[in-house]
Amino acid sequence: MLTVSFILLKGMTAQAAALELHPDTQHISLESQLEVFEDTTGQRTLQDITQASLQQQFMPLHGNLNAGYTRSVYWLKMTIRRSDATTSRHWVIEMTPPMLDDIRLYLIDSHGGVETHAAGDHLPFSHQEIHHHYPSFQLFVDDTQTHTLYFRLQTSSTLFFKANLFNPLTFSVASNFVSGLMGIYYGIMLAMILYNGLLMISYRDVSMRYYLLLSVSTLLAGMSVNGHVAMYLAPDWPWLVDLLPSITPQCMVLTSSLFMCSFLKLKSRLPRMYLAFRLLQLASVLVLGSMLVGFQPHVATAAQILGLLQISLYLPVSLMVARRGYAPGYIVSVASGVWLVGVVLVPLRNLGVLDSNWATDFGFQIGSAVEVILLALAQAYKIRLMQRERDLAQKELLKLSQRAEYELDAKVRLRTAELQQLIQRLEKSDKEKNDFLSIAVHDLKSPLTSMIGMSELLLNLYHRIPKDEQQNYLGRINASGKRMMHIVTNLLDMNAMESGDVKLQKQSVNLSKLLNEISLQYEEMLKAKDLTAIIQCESDVIVTADMNAMTRVLDNLISNAIKFSPAGKFIWLTVSRDQEKGRFEVRDQGPGLSENDQQFLFTKFSKLSAVPTAGEHSSGLGLSIVKKLTEAQDGAVHCHSHIGEGASFIVELPLDHSAAAQKTIAQAA
């Protein structure tokens, strides 16, 4: 729930510098090794630097610099040359991060002429050479002679520096791709802020206010680190652009801590931890105030310690609350874990442990987007619990008042009996809540796995993937996210359905088409375990079912087959007609099931003798969900298996004989 990288951006103890040639810039090359010189006086000019005495003090740069917090100015020197006279003369250098105070680039040609460029967050964005969210310079290399580049870097924040050399076309393509990713991220954040704002108006819960403040500060921090604050919000206010990277992390620390205290009700559940959080919040307010009055360099270390200390408390505290019976605490713990995994690469990059890449550059955005979605789910679940508890209390009070009017003589005895019944119902309700949460987490695992797999593929191989395939992957990620929302909604409906309040929406479902669509999401999982899926579908097997329910049925059965199949084996996925039934079968070559296992196969939380072949998680809920959803659609599910011979799961549903279904079959024929 806290981005450590942003806390470390002001007053860090690591410096790093790098220049990378984009793969499409093969017509220009580095003629010498990158060299660095530290100007401890901060007063050296280009004329001084080019003197022979100082040229001898330039040292080769091997990896990252680690010079601690310093007021020194760093000079980087390199030489470049075009390969031949027919190649492009125009080039673009893009530099990150945008928080450096002053960036100067001097290009010295073979005749001694000097071309000067300036950028940095002390220069208004409207005065920048290229209106791009990262500082960028245009270079004109008009001959094939060797040209010398000098970078002059000065900042009061972390002197982390990376530069990419592009030709104009490649620069435009790369910028558009990053803008698309940022658009998705900002869209998610704004949607969650709007959603929570509407909830806050309706319920006026204090934790919702803190969540809203946390989401806004996270969005501002993301825009700040990506240079979009200067680009869109404050193009002529460099003082604000320079200030936000320092204060937004502290706002995130403070609001996340306040949210944890309120949402988890630490004051009543964990009084000592509540007191500890209050002390840390007071310290965060003092640090934030010190930064606002100009003492940021002096409190940078304290800010880092406070942030890391609170981050280390979020996960164990939410788990402790969850284990004491407050089920939304599990969702908060998952959100905290996802957040930490998403952002841990960023401080490692700033410390020089990892090189700058897509994973380290966008870990914060991915982690924060997933976090705000999970926290929104946690709040929705909390509201549902509050409504159910309020309804139960109202019903019980009504019963007590009515009985008191007619049975005054037996008031004490009846009240005692009613309280005992209430305790039993509450215990049963608490167990059902925990079971329900487990089912929700289990059902969300498959689309989350798909999203993470495709996003990792984009992050690690984006240079090799054509743009149309990138758009395809982004579309599939977006579809999986929407599917997650459908799963959560339908799981809530299923819980109500068990009470007889909600019915599934039956419609015509093309079972063959649905299987082909779902199987695409498991390509990476099959490759990871060296499995081969053989799909055999009769054309247009149309059944009467609920689309979302059937999606979850197929998801659970296919993921189970992959989970329990050894590497190098086959999985058969078959759709066929059997008299008046549409039939789906998944058959694997796993360890099989004993007769004892098959007796408890479709019960909740069943623990079977077979175990996943690659150590995957198994909660014992998947087949229970399959059975409930199948039977709710007037279908049936059964299993055939023998030890050592794999297992076959068969789902049968009534065929759709409507006119629309027959027309679809006729058109296919």
Side-chain angles (χ1 to χ4, degrees):
M1 296 178 59
L2 174 64
T3 169
V4 184
S5 62
F6 290 158
I7 294 176
L8 301 179
L9 281 175
K10 291 288 183 178
M12 269 281 297
T13 60
Q15 281 82 19
L19 175 67
E20 295 184 6
L21 298 179
H22 193 271
D24 291 339
T25 59
Q26 65 268 27
H27 298 302
I28 196 166
S29 61
L30 292 176
E31 292 293 295
S32 66
Q33 183 179 5
L34 190 64
E35 296 179 328
V36 63
F37 168 71
E38 180 183 4
D39 176 14
T40 57
T41 67
Q43 303 298 320
R44 304 287 188 182
T45 64
L46 178 64
Q47 184 176 3
D48 299 328
I49 291 298
T50 55
Q51 297 297 319
S53 59
L54 290 183
Q55 286 288 306
Q56 296 176 359
Q57 298 183 36
F58 274 86
M59 302 296 293
L61 179 61
H62 301 288
N64 297 328
L65 292 172
N66 292 278
Y69 181 79
T70 177
R71 297 183 180 276
S72 299
V73 172
Y74 280 83
W75 291 79
L76 299 178
K77 174 187 175 183
M78 65 207 74
T79 54
I80 60 174
R81 185 178 64 85
R82 287 170 54 207
S83 59
D84 58 71
T86 62
T87 60
S88 174
R89 300 181 180 185
H90 297 276
W91 303 91
V92 177
I93 287 186
E94 178 191 69
M95 297 157 288
T96 58
M99 287 80 68
L100 298 178
D101 295 344
D102 187 11
I103 305 173
R104 304 289 178 87
L105 173 62
Y106 302 97
L107 174 62
I108 304 178
D109 60 26
S110 58
H111 304 293
V114 178
E115 181 180 326
T116 304
H117 304 268
D121 62 13
H122 282 185
L123 183 67
F125 182 83
S126 57
H127 296 172
Q128 299 282 356
E129 183 174 319
I130 299 178
H131 286 184
H132 184 56
H133 64 105
Y134 286 149
S136 303
F137 297 141
Q138 297 186 66
L139 297 184
F140 180 72
V141 183
D142 61 347
D143 56 36
T144 58
Q145 301 300 315
T146 298
H147 294 251
T148 303
L149 294 178
Y150 286 96
F151 285 96
R152 182 185 183 275
L153 309 174
Q154 184 176 17
T155 186
S156 60
S157 60
T158 302
L159 193 56
F160 171 77
F161 180 75
K162 175 185 174 183
N164 289 288
L165 183 61
F166 297 92
N167 62 42
L169 177 60
T170 306
F171 175 72
S172 177
V173 172
S175 298
N176 290 337
F177 176 70
V178 173
S179 296
L181 292 180
M182 289 299 100
I184 294 173
Y185 169 68
Y186 293 146
I188 292 173
M189 295 298 298
L190 290 173
M192 290 298 100
I193 290 173
L194 178 61
Y195 169 73
N196 187 76
L198 295 175
L199 286 180
M200 186 179 66
I201 294 173
S202 301
Y203 293 95
R204 297 181 181 180
D205 186 72
V206 175
S207 62
M208 294 182 182
R209 299 176 188 175
Y210 294 141
Y211 172 78
L212 183 61
L213 292 174
L214 173 60
S215 300
V216 171
S217 59
T218 302
L219 176 61
L220 287 176
M223 294 183 68
S224 179
V225 77
N226 289 302
H228 289 118
V229 169
M231 187 173 185
Y232 297 117
L233 303 181
D236 295 311
W237 296 347
W239 62 270
L240 180 60
V241 175
D242 187 51
L243 181 63
L244 282 180
S246 298
I247 64 172
T248 50
Q250 295 309 309
C251 292
M252 292 169 60
V253 171
L254 183 59
T255 54
S256 62
S257 179
L258 291 169
F259 172 80
M260 293 288 288
C261 289
S262 176
F263 185 81
L264 299 178
K265 299 180 180 179
L266 296 184
K267 187 174 183 179
S268 58
R269 293 190 172 100
L270 297 173
R272 293 184 179 178
M273 292 305 304
Y274 175 78
L275 178 60
F277 270 98
R278 283 303 191 190
L279 293 175
L280 291 172
Q281 290 162 13
L282 177 60
S284 296
V285 171
L286 294 176
V287 168
L288 184 59
S290 300
M291 289 182 171
L292 290 173
V293 298
F295 293 101
Q296 187 276 330
H298 305 286
V299 298
T301 301
Q304 295 175 47
I305 295 174
L306 281 174
L308 292 173
L309 181 59
Q310 294 196 62
I311 288 173
S312 65
L313 293 176
Y314 290 159
L315 187 58
V317 166
S318 57
L319 285 175
M320 289 171 63
V321 171
R323 290 175 65 85
R324 296 190 178 192
Y326 188 58
Y330 287 112
I331 303 180
V332 175
S333 64
V334 173
S336 301
V338 171
W339 176 259
L340 291 175
V341 171
V343 302
V344 71
L345 296 178
V346 184
L348 292 178
R349 178 202 67 180
N350 291 346
L351 291 170
V353 178
L354 296 177
D355 291 333
S356 178
N357 52 49
W358 278 92
T360 58
D361 292 346
F362 291 94
F364 165 71
Q365 286 83 356
I366 296 172
S368 60
V370 175
E371 179 217 21
V372 296
I373 293 173
L374 291 176
L375 290 183
L377 293 177
Q379 294 197 92
Y381 188 49
K382 174 186 175 182
I383 291 171
R384 182 174 178 82
L385 292 179
M386 293 168 58
Q387 291 174 337
R388 291 176 61 184
E389 291 173 356
R390 184 164 52 247
D391 292 342
L392 284 174
Q394 290 175 349
K395 290 179 181 179
E396 291 304 322
L397 288 174
L398 180 60
K399 290 179 180 179
L400 290 174
S401 63
Q402 291 174 343
R403 291 177 182 177
E405 294 178 1
Y406 298 99
E407 302 178 5
L408 294 176
D409 295 337
K411 183 177 180 180
V412 174
R413 184 177 67 254
L414 290 176
R415 185 173 179 83
T416 301
E418 290 169 356
L419 287 175
Q420 290 176 346
Q421 294 175 3
L422 178 59
I423 291 172
Q424 293 174 356
R425 283 196 296 270
L426 289 175
E427 290 176 348
K428 180 180 178 181
S429 176
D430 185 67
K431 183 179 183 301
E432 290 177 350
K433 293 172 188 175
N434 291 333
D435 292 349
F436 178 74
L437 178 61
S438 299
I439 293 173
V441 173
H442 181 275
D443 264 7
L444 287 172
K445 182 178 179 181
S446 294
L448 271 175
T449 301
S450 176
M451 291 176 68
I452 292 171
M454 287 184 287
S455 62
E456 286 181 347
L457 183 63
L458 282 173
L459 292 173
N460 296 328
L461 300 176
Y462 77 99
H463 285 308
R464 307 178 189 174
I465 301 176
K467 187 173 182 179
D468 57 343
E469 291 188 20
Q470 294 175 5
Q471 295 295 329
N472 180 45
Y473 280 123
L474 290 173
R476 289 167 64 183
I477 290 173
N478 181 264
S480 294
K482 292 179 179 178
R483 182 172 149 225
M484 287 172 60
M485 293 299 297
H486 286 306
I487 289 174
V488 171
T489 301
N490 288 328
L491 279 173
L492 294 174
D493 290 342
M494 189 186 77
N495 184 58
M497 181 188 65
E498 291 181 343
S499 303
D501 298 328
V502 176
K503 302 296 182 181
L504 296 175
Q505 296 181 356
K506 295 182 180 179
Q507 58 184 351
S508 296
V509 176
N510 191 326
L511 204 55
S512 305
K513 182 179 179 181
L514 180 61
L515 174 60
N516 286 323
E517 291 174 351
I518 292 176
S519 62
L520 294 175
Q521 301 176 10
Y522 288 92
E523 291 179 354
E524 295 302 323
M525 292 179 64
L526 290 166
K527 291 179 182 178
K529 294 190 68 172
D530 192 24
L531 298 173
T532 301
I534 300 176
I535 302 176
Q536 300 172 334
C537 293
E538 292 186 20
S539 61
D540 296 307
V541 176
I542 300 178
V543 297
T544 301
D546 180 274
M547 177 66 76
N548 292 324
M550 283 308 302
T551 298
R552 296 203 300 280
V553 169
L554 269 61
D555 270 337
N556 279 306
L557 292 177
I558 295 173
S559 63
N560 269 1
I562 295 173
K563 189 184 302 180
F564 291 94
S565 293
K569 298 295 184 178
F570 292 84
I571 296 174
W572 288 268
L573 306 175
T574 306
V575 172
S576 60
R577 295 182 184 85
D578 186 6
Q579 297 180 356
E580 295 299 313
K581 301 288 185 180
R583 194 170 185 267
F584 166 71
E585 180 179 1
V586 54
R587 180 163 60 90
D588 60 51
Q589 294 181 309
L593 298 166
S594 65
E595 293 183 0
N596 184 62
D597 284 342
Q598 294 183 46
Q599 293 179 5
F600 305 98
L601 193 58
F602 296 101
T603 60
K604 286 184 180 180
F605 308 109
S606 58
K607 296 299 182 181
L608 309 179
S609 58
V611 297
T613 56
E616 298 96 330
H617 173 71
S618 177
S619 64
L621 292 171
L623 293 178
S624 173
I625 296 172
V626 169
K627 182 177 178 62
K628 287 183 179 180
L629 292 179
T630 301
E631 292 180 349
Q633 300 171 94
D634 300 324
V637 58
H638 51 277
C639 171
H640 297 297
S641 180
H642 297 284
I643 292 294
E645 298 180 5
S648 177
F649 288 86
I650 301 169
V651 174
E652 294 179 334
L653 292 164
L655 288 171
D656 186 1
H657 295 292
S658 65
Q662 296 303 316
K663 182 178 180 181
T664 300
I665 295 174
Q667 290 175 348

